[in-house]
PDB file of all heavy atoms in Angstrom:
ATOM      1  N   LEU A  21      94.899 123.030  55.225  1.00 94.00           N
ATOM      2  CA  LEU A  21      95.792 121.868  55.225  1.00 94.00           C
ATOM      3  C   LEU A  21      95.553 120.987  56.440  1.00 94.00           C
ATOM      4  O   LEU A  21      95.496 119.759  56.345  1.00 94.00           O
ATOM      5  CB  LEU A  21      97.245 122.338  55.194  1.00 94.00           C
ATOM      6  CG  LEU A  21      97.806 122.789  53.849  1.00 94.00           C
ATOM      7  CD1 LEU A  21      99.079 123.600  54.043  1.00 94.00           C
ATOM      8  CD2 LEU A  21      98.091 121.580  52.966  1.00 94.00           C
ATOM      9  N   ARG A  22      95.389 121.617  57.607  1.00 93.00           N
ATOM     10  CA  ARG A  22      95.235 120.845  58.833  1.00 93.00           C
ATOM     11  C   ARG A  22      93.844 120.224  58.932  1.00 93.00           C
ATOM     12  O   ARG A  22      93.691 119.117  59.444  1.00 93.00           O
ATOM     13  CB  ARG A  22      95.498 121.730  60.056  1.00 93.00           C
ATOM     14  CG  ARG A  22      96.903 122.246  60.186  1.00 93.00           C
ATOM     15  CD  ARG A  22      97.909 121.183  60.611  1.00 93.00           C
ATOM     16  NE  ARG A  22      98.275 120.276  59.541  1.00 93.00           N
ATOM     17  CZ  ARG A  22      99.164 120.554  58.601  1.00 93.00           C
ATOM     18  NH1 ARG A  22      99.771 121.704  58.578  1.00 93.00           N
ATOM     19  NH2 ARG A  22      99.453 119.667  57.668  1.00 93.00           N
ATOM     20  N   LEU A  23      92.817 120.910  58.463  1.00 95.00           N
ATOM     21  CA  LEU A  23      91.465 120.336  58.515  1.00 95.00           C
ATOM     22  C   LEU A  23      91.352 119.122  57.612  1.00 95.00           C
ATOM     23  O   LEU A  23      90.644 118.165  57.922  1.00 95.00           O
ATOM     24  CB  LEU A  23      90.429 121.393  58.123  1.00 95.00           C
ATOM     25  CG  LEU A  23      90.211 122.523  59.139  1.00 95.00           C
ATOM     26  CD1 LEU A  23      89.298 123.594  58.570  1.00 95.00           C
ATOM     27  CD2 LEU A  23      89.632 121.976  60.447  1.00 95.00           C
ATOM     28  N   LEU A  24      92.052 119.140  56.478  1.00 95.00           N
ATOM     29  CA  LEU A  24      92.052 117.971  55.597  1.00 95.00           C
ATOM     30  C   LEU A  24      92.739 116.788  56.256  1.00 95.00           C
ATOM     31  O   LEU A  24      92.445 115.630  55.944  1.00 95.00           O
ATOM     32  CB  LEU A  24      92.754 118.318  54.278  1.00 95.00           C
ATOM     33  CG  LEU A  24      91.975 119.222  53.329  1.00 95.00           C
ATOM     34  CD1 LEU A  24      92.872 119.683  52.185  1.00 95.00           C
ATOM     35  CD2 LEU A  24      90.746 118.497  52.791  1.00 95.00           C
ATOM     36  N   GLU A  25      93.656 117.073  57.167  1.00 91.00           N
ATOM     37  CA  GLU A  25      94.329 116.009  57.914  1.00 91.00           C
ATOM     38  C   GLU A  25      93.344 115.289  58.831  1.00 91.00           C
ATOM     39  O   GLU A  25      93.534 114.119  59.166  1.00 91.00           O
ATOM     40  CB  GLU A  25      95.465 116.633  58.731  1.00 91.00           C
ATOM     41  CG  GLU A  25      96.257 115.687  59.587  1.00 91.00           C
ATOM     42  CD  GLU A  25      97.231 116.443  60.494  1.00 91.00           C
ATOM     43  OE1 GLU A  25      97.412 117.652  60.292  1.00 91.00           O
ATOM     44  OE2 GLU A  25      97.779 115.802  61.405  1.00 91.00           O
ATOM     45  N   ASN A  26      92.297 116.026  59.242  1.00 89.00           N
ATOM     46  CA  ASN A  26      91.236 115.488  60.108  1.00 89.00           C
ATOM     47  C   ASN A  26      91.790 114.971  61.437  1.00 89.00           C
ATOM     48  O   ASN A  26      91.397 113.917  61.927  1.00 89.00           O
ATOM     49  CB  ASN A  26      90.462 114.370  59.402  1.00 89.00           C
ATOM     50  CG  ASN A  26      89.088 114.146  60.026  1.00 89.00           C
ATOM     51  OD1 ASN A  26      88.549 115.040  60.680  1.00 89.00           O
ATOM     52  ND2 ASN A  26      88.527 112.967  59.824  1.00 89.00           N
ATOM     53  N   ASP A  27      92.712 115.756  62.001  1.00 89.00           N
ATOM     54  CA  ASP A  27      93.268 115.416  63.315  1.00 89.00           C
ATOM     55  C   ASP A  27      92.298 115.891  64.395  1.00 89.00           C
ATOM     56  O   ASP A  27      91.883 117.057  64.415  1.00 89.00           O
ATOM     57  CB  ASP A  27      94.638 116.094  63.487  1.00 89.00           C
ATOM     58  CG  ASP A  27      95.222 115.856  64.860  1.00 89.00           C
ATOM     59  OD1 ASP A  27      95.647 114.724  65.130  1.00 89.00           O
ATOM     60  OD2 ASP A  27      95.254 116.807  65.671  1.00 89.00           O
ATOM     61  N   GLU A  28      91.926 114.991  65.289  1.00 90.00           N
ATOM     62  CA  GLU A  28      90.913 115.304  66.295  1.00 90.00           C
ATOM     63  C   GLU A  28      91.333 116.450  67.207  1.00 90.00           C
ATOM     64  O   GLU A  28      90.518 117.316  67.549  1.00 90.00           O
ATOM     65  CB  GLU A  28      90.609 114.055  67.136  1.00 90.00           C
ATOM     66  CG  GLU A  28      89.881 112.958  66.372  1.00 90.00           C
ATOM     67  CD  GLU A  28      89.521 111.785  67.256  1.00 90.00           C
ATOM     68  OE1 GLU A  28      89.755 111.878  68.482  1.00 90.00           O
ATOM     69  OE2 GLU A  28      88.991 110.783  66.735  1.00 90.00           O
ATOM     70  N   SER A  29      92.602 116.467  67.601  1.00 90.00           N
ATOM     71  CA  SER A  29      93.054 117.516  68.519  1.00 90.00           C
ATOM     72  C   SER A  29      93.022 118.881  67.840  1.00 90.00           C
ATOM     73  O   SER A  29      92.645 119.885  68.454  1.00 90.00           O
ATOM     74  CB  SER A  29      94.472 117.207  69.023  1.00 90.00           C
ATOM     75  OG  SER A  29      95.425 117.326  67.980  1.00 90.00           O
ATOM     76  N   PHE A  30      93.410 118.928  66.551  1.00 92.00           N
ATOM     77  CA  PHE A  30      93.363 120.212  65.844  1.00 92.00           C
ATOM     78  C   PHE A  30      91.918 120.645  65.631  1.00 92.00           C
ATOM     79  O   PHE A  30      91.586 121.827  65.806  1.00 92.00           O
ATOM     80  CB  PHE A  30      94.086 120.113  64.492  1.00 92.00           C
ATOM     81  CG  PHE A  30      94.092 121.419  63.746  1.00 92.00           C
ATOM     82  CD1 PHE A  30      95.042 122.384  64.022  1.00 92.00           C
ATOM     83  CD2 PHE A  30      93.124 121.690  62.778  1.00 92.00           C
ATOM     84  CE1 PHE A  30      95.048 123.592  63.353  1.00 92.00           C
ATOM     85  CE2 PHE A  30      93.115 122.898  62.106  1.00 92.00           C
ATOM     86  CZ  PHE A  30      94.082 123.854  62.392  1.00 92.00           C
ATOM     87  N   ASN A  31      91.058 119.712  65.246  1.00 93.00           N
ATOM     88  CA  ASN A  31      89.652 120.058  65.041  1.00 93.00           C
ATOM     89  C   ASN A  31      89.036 120.609  66.321  1.00 93.00           C
ATOM     90  O   ASN A  31      88.256 121.579  66.287  1.00 93.00           O
ATOM     91  CB  ASN A  31      88.867 118.831  64.582  1.00 93.00           C
ATOM     92  CG  ASN A  31      89.231 118.406  63.167  1.00 93.00           C
ATOM     93  OD1 ASN A  31      89.920 119.139  62.450  1.00 93.00           O
ATOM     94  ND2 ASN A  31      88.777 117.236  62.748  1.00 93.00           N
ATOM     95  N   ALA A  32      89.402 120.006  67.456  1.00 93.00           N
ATOM     96  CA  ALA A  32      88.859 120.476  68.737  1.00 93.00           C
ATOM     97  C   ALA A  32      89.338 121.886  69.044  1.00 93.00           C
ATOM     98  O   ALA A  32      88.560 122.749  69.485  1.00 93.00           O
ATOM     99  CB  ALA A  32      89.272 119.516  69.851  1.00 93.00           C
ATOM    100  N   SER A  33      90.617 122.151  68.809  1.00 92.00           N
ATOM    101  CA  SER A  33      91.163 123.490  69.053  1.00 92.00           C
ATOM    102  C   SER A  33      90.556 124.508  68.089  1.00 92.00           C
ATOM    103  O   SER A  33      90.293 125.653  68.456  1.00 92.00           O
ATOM    104  CB  SER A  33      92.691 123.474  68.899  1.00 92.00           C
ATOM    105  OG  SER A  33      93.292 122.612  69.853  1.00 92.00           O
ATOM    106  N   PHE A  34      90.344 124.083  66.851  1.00 94.00           N
ATOM    107  CA  PHE A  34      89.755 124.963  65.836  1.00 94.00           C
ATOM    108  C   PHE A  34      88.336 125.367  66.240  1.00 94.00           C
ATOM    109  O   PHE A  34      87.960 126.541  66.158  1.00 94.00           O
ATOM    110  CB  PHE A  34      89.748 124.224  64.492  1.00 94.00           C
ATOM    111  CG  PHE A  34      89.319 125.072  63.327  1.00 94.00           C
ATOM    112  CD1 PHE A  34      90.216 125.917  62.711  1.00 94.00           C
ATOM    113  CD2 PHE A  34      88.013 124.998  62.858  1.00 94.00           C
ATOM    114  CE1 PHE A  34      89.819 126.688  61.625  1.00 94.00           C
ATOM    115  CE2 PHE A  34      87.609 125.771  61.773  1.00 94.00           C
ATOM    116  CZ  PHE A  34      88.516 126.622  61.161  1.00 94.00           C
ATOM    117  N   LYS A  35      87.551 124.398  66.692  1.00 94.00           N
ATOM    118  CA  LYS A  35      86.174 124.683  67.096  1.00 94.00           C
ATOM    119  C   LYS A  35      86.135 125.529  68.374  1.00 94.00           C
ATOM    120  O   LYS A  35      85.253 126.386  68.529  1.00 94.00           O
ATOM    121  CB  LYS A  35      85.417 123.372  67.300  1.00 94.00           C
ATOM    122  CG  LYS A  35      85.119 122.651  65.998  1.00 94.00           C
ATOM    123  CD  LYS A  35      84.197 121.459  66.188  1.00 94.00           C
ATOM    124  CE  LYS A  35      84.896 120.305  66.878  1.00 94.00           C
ATOM    125  NZ  LYS A  35      84.019 119.104  66.947  1.00 94.00           N
ATOM    126  N   LYS A  36      87.094 125.296  69.273  1.00 93.00           N
ATOM    127  CA  LYS A  36      87.146 126.081  70.507  1.00 93.00           C
ATOM    128  C   LYS A  36      87.422 127.545  70.209  1.00 93.00           C
ATOM    129  O   LYS A  36      86.909 128.442  70.876  1.00 93.00           O
ATOM    130  CB  LYS A  36      88.228 125.509  71.432  1.00 93.00           C
ATOM    131  CG  LYS A  36      88.325 126.210  72.774  1.00 93.00           C
ATOM    132  CD  LYS A  36      89.361 125.539  73.663  1.00 93.00           C
ATOM    133  CE  LYS A  36      89.441 126.240  75.008  1.00 93.00           C
ATOM    134  NZ  LYS A  36      90.450 125.619  75.908  1.00 93.00           N
ATOM    135  N   LYS A  37      88.231 127.798  69.175  1.00 93.00           N
ATOM    136  CA  LYS A  37      88.591 129.162  68.813  1.00 93.00           C
ATOM    137  C   LYS A  37      87.490 129.847  68.020  1.00 93.00           C
ATOM    138  O   LYS A  37      87.160 131.019  68.263  1.00 93.00           O
ATOM    139  CB  LYS A  37      89.891 129.138  67.994  1.00 93.00           C
ATOM    140  CG  LYS A  37      90.305 130.491  67.419  1.00 93.00           C
ATOM    141  CD  LYS A  37      90.706 131.482  68.490  1.00 93.00           C
ATOM    142  CE  LYS A  37      91.179 132.787  67.865  1.00 93.00           C
ATOM    143  NZ  LYS A  37      91.574 133.777  68.886  1.00 93.00           N
ATOM    144  N   PHE A  38      86.885 129.145  67.064  1.00 93.00           N
ATOM    145  CA  PHE A  38      85.971 129.795  66.115  1.00 93.00           C
ATOM    146  C   PHE A  38      84.503 129.392  66.288  1.00 93.00           C
ATOM    147  O   PHE A  38      83.655 129.830  65.507  1.00 93.00           O
ATOM    148  CB  PHE A  38      86.407 129.485  64.682  1.00 93.00           C
ATOM    149  CG  PHE A  38      87.794 129.967  64.364  1.00 93.00           C
ATOM    150  CD1 PHE A  38      88.815 129.065  64.110  1.00 93.00           C
ATOM    151  CD2 PHE A  38      88.081 131.333  64.334  1.00 93.00           C
ATOM    152  CE1 PHE A  38      90.103 129.505  63.824  1.00 93.00           C
ATOM    153  CE2 PHE A  38      89.365 131.786  64.047  1.00 93.00           C
ATOM    154  CZ  PHE A  38      90.378 130.871  63.794  1.00 93.00           C
ATOM    155  N   GLY A  39      84.219 128.545  67.273  1.00 92.00           N
ATOM    156  CA  GLY A  39      82.828 128.153  67.506  1.00 92.00           C
ATOM    157  C   GLY A  39      82.630 126.663  67.314  1.00 92.00           C
ATOM    158  O   GLY A  39      83.125 126.083  66.348  1.00 92.00           O
ATOM    159  N   GLU A  40      81.881 126.049  68.216  1.00 92.00           N
ATOM    160  CA  GLU A  40      81.698 124.598  68.182  1.00 92.00           C
ATOM    161  C   GLU A  40      81.006 124.113  66.910  1.00 92.00           C
ATOM    162  O   GLU A  40      81.164 122.959  66.506  1.00 92.00           O
ATOM    163  CB  GLU A  40      80.902 124.144  69.417  1.00 92.00           C
ATOM    164  CG  GLU A  40      81.665 124.231  70.732  1.00 92.00           C
ATOM    165  CD  GLU A  40      82.867 123.297  70.763  1.00 92.00           C
ATOM    166  OE1 GLU A  40      82.806 122.225  70.135  1.00 92.00           O
ATOM    167  OE2 GLU A  40      83.875 123.647  71.401  1.00 92.00           O
ATOM    168  N   ASP A  41      80.220 124.998  66.292  1.00 91.00           N
ATOM    169  CA  ASP A  41      79.473 124.576  65.103  1.00 91.00           C
ATOM    170  C   ASP A  41      80.156 125.000  63.806  1.00 91.00           C
ATOM    171  O   ASP A  41      79.585 124.855  62.725  1.00 91.00           O
ATOM    172  CB  ASP A  41      78.061 125.157  65.136  1.00 91.00           C
ATOM    173  CG  ASP A  41      78.069 126.689  65.124  1.00 91.00           C
ATOM    174  OD1 ASP A  41      79.133 127.270  65.453  1.00 91.00           O
ATOM    175  OD2 ASP A  41      77.034 127.288  64.783  1.00 91.00           O
ATOM    176  N   ILE A  42      81.388 125.502  63.887  1.00 93.00           N
ATOM    177  CA  ILE A  42      82.056 126.057  62.714  1.00 93.00           C
ATOM    178  C   ILE A  42      82.218 125.029  61.597  1.00 93.00           C
ATOM    179  O   ILE A  42      82.054 125.336  60.419  1.00 93.00           O
ATOM    180  CB  ILE A  42      83.434 126.651  63.107  1.00 93.00           C
ATOM    181  CG1 ILE A  42      84.108 127.326  61.909  1.00 93.00           C
ATOM    182  CG2 ILE A  42      84.335 125.602  63.696  1.00 93.00           C
ATOM    183  CD1 ILE A  42      83.427 128.564  61.428  1.00 93.00           C
ATOM    184  N   LEU A  43      82.550 123.790  61.966  1.00 92.00           N
ATOM    185  CA  LEU A  43      82.772 122.766  60.941  1.00 92.00           C
ATOM    186  C   LEU A  43      81.474 122.165  60.416  1.00 92.00           C
ATOM    187  O   LEU A  43      81.505 121.345  59.498  1.00 92.00           O
ATOM    188  CB  LEU A  43      83.669 121.646  61.502  1.00 92.00           C
ATOM    189  CG  LEU A  43      85.097 122.059  61.877  1.00 92.00           C
ATOM    190  CD1 LEU A  43      85.876 120.867  62.397  1.00 92.00           C
ATOM    191  CD2 LEU A  43      85.814 122.682  60.681  1.00 92.00           C
ATOM    192  N   MET A  44      80.334 122.591  61.016  1.00 91.00           N
ATOM    193  CA  MET A  44      79.041 122.096  60.551  1.00 91.00           C
ATOM    194  C   MET A  44      78.355 123.089  59.625  1.00 91.00           C
ATOM    195  O   MET A  44      77.283 122.803  59.095  1.00 91.00           O
ATOM    196  CB  MET A  44      78.137 121.809  61.757  1.00 91.00           C
ATOM    197  CG  MET A  44      78.674 120.723  62.686  1.00 91.00           C
ATOM    198  SD  MET A  44      78.977 119.162  61.806  1.00 91.00           S
ATOM    199  CE  MET A  44      77.305 118.747  61.324  1.00 91.00           C
ATOM    200  N   LYS A  45      78.978 124.252  59.424  1.00 88.00           N
ATOM    201  CA  LYS A  45      78.404 125.226  58.502  1.00 88.00           C
ATOM    202  C   LYS A  45      78.354 124.633  57.096  1.00 88.00           C
ATOM    203  O   LYS A  45      79.289 123.940  56.677  1.00 88.00           O
ATOM    204  CB  LYS A  45      79.220 126.514  58.506  1.00 88.00           C
ATOM    205  CG  LYS A  45      79.014 127.352  59.761  1.00 88.00           C
ATOM    206  CD  LYS A  45      79.688 128.709  59.629  1.00 88.00           C
ATOM    207  CE  LYS A  45      79.380 129.593  60.840  1.00 88.00           C
ATOM    208  NZ  LYS A  45      79.994 130.928  60.719  1.00 88.00           N
ATOM    209  N   GLY A  46      77.306 124.938  56.372  1.00 85.00           N
ATOM    210  CA  GLY A  46      77.063 124.297  55.085  1.00 85.00           C
ATOM    211  C   GLY A  46      78.229 124.354  54.121  1.00 85.00           C
ATOM    212  O   GLY A  46      78.679 123.317  53.606  1.00 85.00           O
ATOM    213  N   SER A  47      78.760 125.552  53.876  1.00 89.00           N
ATOM    214  CA  SER A  47      79.824 125.685  52.883  1.00 89.00           C
ATOM    215  C   SER A  47      81.099 124.991  53.337  1.00 89.00           C
ATOM    216  O   SER A  47      81.768 124.313  52.549  1.00 89.00           O
ATOM    217  CB  SER A  47      80.098 127.159  52.600  1.00 89.00           C
ATOM    218  OG  SER A  47      80.488 127.833  53.794  1.00 89.00           O
ATOM    219  N   ILE A  48      81.434 125.145  54.618  1.00 92.00           N
ATOM    220  CA  ILE A  48      82.665 124.538  55.124  1.00 92.00           C
ATOM    221  C   ILE A  48      82.533 123.017  55.132  1.00 92.00           C
ATOM    222  O   ILE A  48      83.423 122.297  54.649  1.00 92.00           O
ATOM    223  CB  ILE A  48      82.993 125.065  56.537  1.00 92.00           C
ATOM    224  CG1 ILE A  48      83.301 126.569  56.476  1.00 92.00           C
ATOM    225  CG2 ILE A  48      84.170 124.297  57.133  1.00 92.00           C
ATOM    226  CD1 ILE A  48      83.600 127.189  57.829  1.00 92.00           C
ATOM    227  N   ARG A  49      81.406 122.518  55.671  1.00 93.00           N
ATOM    228  CA  ARG A  49      81.222 121.071  55.741  1.00 93.00           C
ATOM    229  C   ARG A  49      81.185 120.453  54.346  1.00 93.00           C
ATOM    230  O   ARG A  49      81.821 119.425  54.073  1.00 93.00           O
ATOM    231  CB  ARG A  49      79.933 120.747  56.488  1.00 93.00           C
ATOM    232  CG  ARG A  49      79.651 119.247  56.627  1.00 93.00           C
ATOM    233  CD  ARG A  49      78.378 118.993  57.393  1.00 93.00           C
ATOM    234  NE  ARG A  49      77.226 119.605  56.700  1.00 93.00           N
ATOM    235  CZ  ARG A  49      75.973 119.553  57.179  1.00 93.00           C
ATOM    236  NH1 ARG A  49      75.724 118.958  58.332  1.00 93.00           N
ATOM    237  NH2 ARG A  49      74.987 120.130  56.509  1.00 93.00           N
ATOM    238  N   GLY A  50      80.455 121.107  53.427  1.00 93.00           N
ATOM    239  CA  GLY A  50      80.331 120.569  52.080  1.00 93.00           C
ATOM    240  C   GLY A  50      81.674 120.559  51.350  1.00 93.00           C
ATOM    241  O   GLY A  50      82.051 119.532  50.753  1.00 93.00           O
ATOM    242  N   ASN A  51      82.392 121.671  51.389  1.00 94.00           N
ATOM    243  CA  ASN A  51      83.685 121.742  50.691  1.00 94.00           C
ATOM    244  C   ASN A  51      84.712 120.814  51.313  1.00 94.00           C
ATOM    245  O   ASN A  51      85.533 120.211  50.610  1.00 94.00           O
ATOM    246  CB  ASN A  51      84.202 123.173  50.683  1.00 94.00           C
ATOM    247  CG  ASN A  51      83.481 124.059  49.687  1.00 94.00           C
ATOM    248  OD1 ASN A  51      82.299 123.847  49.418  1.00 94.00           O
ATOM    249  ND2 ASN A  51      84.175 125.040  49.141  1.00 94.00           N
ATOM    250  N   LEU A  52      84.654 120.691  52.645  1.00 93.00           N
ATOM    251  CA  LEU A  52      85.619 119.838  53.336  1.00 93.00           C
ATOM    252  C   LEU A  52      85.382 118.372  52.975  1.00 93.00           C
ATOM    253  O   LEU A  52      86.341 117.627  52.684  1.00 93.00           O
ATOM    254  CB  LEU A  52      85.513 120.053  54.839  1.00 93.00           C
ATOM    255  CG  LEU A  52      86.582 119.401  55.727  1.00 93.00           C
ATOM    256  CD1 LEU A  52      87.980 119.835  55.311  1.00 93.00           C
ATOM    257  CD2 LEU A  52      86.346 119.761  57.194  1.00 93.00           C
ATOM    258  N   ASN A  53      84.121 117.952  52.980  1.00 93.00           N
ATOM    259  CA  ASN A  53      83.807 116.564  52.618  1.00 93.00           C
ATOM    260  C   ASN A  53      84.150 116.271  51.162  1.00 93.00           C
ATOM    261  O   ASN A  53      84.676 115.204  50.834  1.00 93.00           O
ATOM    262  CB  ASN A  53      82.325 116.275  52.869  1.00 93.00           C
ATOM    263  CG  ASN A  53      81.987 116.204  54.354  1.00 93.00           C
ATOM    264  OD1 ASN A  53      82.867 115.949  55.169  1.00 93.00           O
ATOM    265  ND2 ASN A  53      80.730 116.446  54.694  1.00 93.00           N
ATOM    266  N   LYS A  54      83.845 117.214  50.282  1.00 94.00           N
ATOM    267  CA  LYS A  54      84.154 117.013  48.873  1.00 94.00           C
ATOM    268  C   LYS A  54      85.667 116.923  48.658  1.00 94.00           C
ATOM    269  O   LYS A  54      86.157 116.082  47.897  1.00 94.00           O
ATOM    270  CB  LYS A  54      83.583 118.156  48.034  1.00 94.00           C
ATOM    271  CG  LYS A  54      83.794 117.967  46.521  1.00 94.00           C
ATOM    272  CD  LYS A  54      83.166 119.093  45.731  1.00 94.00           C
ATOM    273  CE  LYS A  54      83.289 118.815  44.236  1.00 94.00           C
ATOM    274  NZ  LYS A  54      84.684 118.571  43.804  1.00 94.00           N
ATOM    275  N   ALA A  55      86.423 117.795  49.339  1.00 95.00           N
ATOM    276  CA  ALA A  55      87.881 117.784  49.199  1.00 95.00           C
ATOM    277  C   ALA A  55      88.464 116.473  49.704  1.00 95.00           C
ATOM    278  O   ALA A  55      89.370 115.904  49.082  1.00 95.00           O
ATOM    279  CB  ALA A  55      88.479 118.964  49.965  1.00 95.00           C
ATOM    280  N   ARG A  56      87.962 115.973  50.817  1.00 93.00           N
ATOM    281  CA  ARG A  56      88.454 114.701  51.353  1.00 93.00           C
ATOM    282  C   ARG A  56      88.111 113.552  50.401  1.00 93.00           C
ATOM    283  O   ARG A  56      88.920 112.629  50.208  1.00 93.00           O
ATOM    284  CB  ARG A  56      87.857 114.450  52.738  1.00 93.00           C
ATOM    285  CG  ARG A  56      88.449 115.337  53.838  1.00 93.00           C
ATOM    286  CD  ARG A  56      87.710 115.174  55.145  1.00 93.00           C
ATOM    287  NE  ARG A  56      88.280 116.014  56.195  1.00 93.00           N
ATOM    288  CZ  ARG A  56      87.668 116.286  57.350  1.00 93.00           C
ATOM    289  NH1 ARG A  56      86.454 115.762  57.593  1.00 93.00           N
ATOM    290  NH2 ARG A  56      88.247 117.056  58.245  1.00 93.00           N
ATOM    291  N   ASN A  57      86.929 113.582  49.822  1.00 94.00           N
ATOM    292  CA  ASN A  57      86.550 112.534  48.865  1.00 94.00           C
ATOM    293  C   ASN A  57      87.440 112.585  47.624  1.00 94.00           C
ATOM    294  O   ASN A  57      87.833 111.533  47.089  1.00 94.00           O
ATOM    295  CB  ASN A  57      85.081 112.684  48.474  1.00 94.00           C
ATOM    296  CG  ASN A  57      84.127 112.338  49.605  1.00 94.00           C
ATOM    297  OD1 ASN A  57      84.492 111.546  50.490  1.00 94.00           O
ATOM    298  ND2 ASN A  57      82.941 112.917  49.597  1.00 94.00           N
ATOM    299  N   ASP A  58      87.753 113.798  47.166  1.00 94.00           N
ATOM    300  CA  ASP A  58      88.634 113.938  46.002  1.00 94.00           C
ATOM    301  C   ASP A  58      90.024 113.369  46.308  1.00 94.00           C
ATOM    302  O   ASP A  58      90.632 112.701  45.462  1.00 94.00           O
ATOM    303  CB  ASP A  58      88.758 115.413  45.609  1.00 94.00           C
ATOM    304  CG  ASP A  58      87.472 115.960  45.022  1.00 94.00           C
ATOM    305  OD1 ASP A  58      86.595 115.140  44.665  1.00 94.00           O
ATOM    306  OD2 ASP A  58      87.333 117.193  44.934  1.00 94.00           O
ATOM    307  N   LEU A  59      90.508 113.629  47.494  1.00 94.00           N
ATOM    308  CA  LEU A  59      91.811 113.082  47.895  1.00 94.00           C
ATOM    309  C   LEU A  59      91.766 111.559  47.963  1.00 94.00           C
ATOM    310  O   LEU A  59      92.704 110.880  47.526  1.00 94.00           O
ATOM    311  CB  LEU A  59      92.227 113.653  49.260  1.00 94.00           C
ATOM    312  CG  LEU A  59      92.603 115.135  49.316  1.00 94.00           C
ATOM    313  CD1 LEU A  59      92.827 115.577  50.761  1.00 94.00           C
ATOM    314  CD2 LEU A  59      93.855 115.415  48.499  1.00 94.00           C
ATOM    315  N   ALA A  60      90.671 111.037  48.509  1.00 93.00           N
ATOM    316  CA  ALA A  60      90.545 109.586  48.656  1.00 93.00           C
ATOM    317  C   ALA A  60      90.540 108.884  47.295  1.00 93.00           C
ATOM    318  O   ALA A  60      91.038 107.763  47.154  1.00 93.00           O
ATOM    319  CB  ALA A  60      89.280 109.248  49.430  1.00 93.00           C
ATOM    320  N   GLN A  61      89.983 109.547  46.278  1.00 93.00           N
ATOM    321  CA  GLN A  61      89.954 108.944  44.945  1.00 93.00           C
ATOM    322  C   GLN A  61      91.362 108.739  44.378  1.00 93.00           C
ATOM    323  O   GLN A  61      91.575 107.867  43.533  1.00 93.00           O
ATOM    324  CB  GLN A  61      89.141 109.833  43.995  1.00 93.00           C
ATOM    325  CG  GLN A  61      87.652 109.820  44.273  1.00 93.00           C
ATOM    326  CD  GLN A  61      86.876 110.712  43.310  1.00 93.00           C
ATOM    327  OE1 GLN A  61      87.460 111.299  42.398  1.00 93.00           O
ATOM    328  NE2 GLN A  61      85.568 110.794  43.511  1.00 93.00           N
ATOM    329  N   TYR A  62      92.299 109.531  44.859  1.00 92.00           N
ATOM    330  CA  TYR A  62      93.687 109.402  44.414  1.00 92.00           C
ATOM    331  C   TYR A  62      94.548 108.649  45.442  1.00 92.00           C
ATOM    332  O   TYR A  62      95.769 108.736  45.418  1.00 92.00           O
ATOM    333  CB  TYR A  62      94.286 110.778  44.154  1.00 92.00           C
ATOM    334  CG  TYR A  62      93.730 111.459  42.922  1.00 92.00           C
ATOM    335  CD1 TYR A  62      92.623 112.295  43.012  1.00 92.00           C
ATOM    336  CD2 TYR A  62      94.295 111.226  41.671  1.00 92.00           C
ATOM    337  CE1 TYR A  62      92.101 112.915  41.881  1.00 92.00           C
ATOM    338  CE2 TYR A  62      93.783 111.845  40.533  1.00 92.00           C
ATOM    339  CZ  TYR A  62      92.685 112.688  40.647  1.00 92.00           C
ATOM    340  OH  TYR A  62      92.172 113.301  39.514  1.00 92.00           O
ATOM    341  N   GLY A  63      93.870 107.925  46.326  1.00 93.00           N
ATOM    342  CA  GLY A  63      94.589 107.118  47.308  1.00 93.00           C
ATOM    343  C   GLY A  63      95.118 107.894  48.483  1.00 93.00           C
ATOM    344  O   GLY A  63      95.921 107.368  49.269  1.00 93.00           O
TER     345      GLY A  63
END
């Protein structure tokens, strides 16, 4: 829920806890981008 919000402070804390490259992993990055695009299609 929070990653979809794309809040910079949360993303920074998330990466600090789980690794700076965590959001660049293929499955996470791909699913996250697709989910955000799906949300954008519905405004």
Side-chain angles (χ1 to χ4, degrees):
L21 281 163
R22 295 287 76 81
L23 290 173
L24 287 170
E25 179 188 349
N26 201 22
D27 176 72
E28 291 184 5
S29 69
F30 181 83
N31 290 349
S33 298
F34 187 82
K35 289 188 288 185
K36 183 177 181 180
K37 174 67 177 180
F38 300 113
E40 289 296 328
D41 62 341
I42 184 68
L43 296 181
M44 298 304 295
K45 286 188 175 181
S47 59
I48 295 178
R49 180 179 60 181
N51 284 31
L52 189 56
N53 289 337
K54 184 178 185 305
R56 287 173 180 165
N57 290 334
D58 290 345
L59 290 173
Q61 289 180 3
Y62 289 91

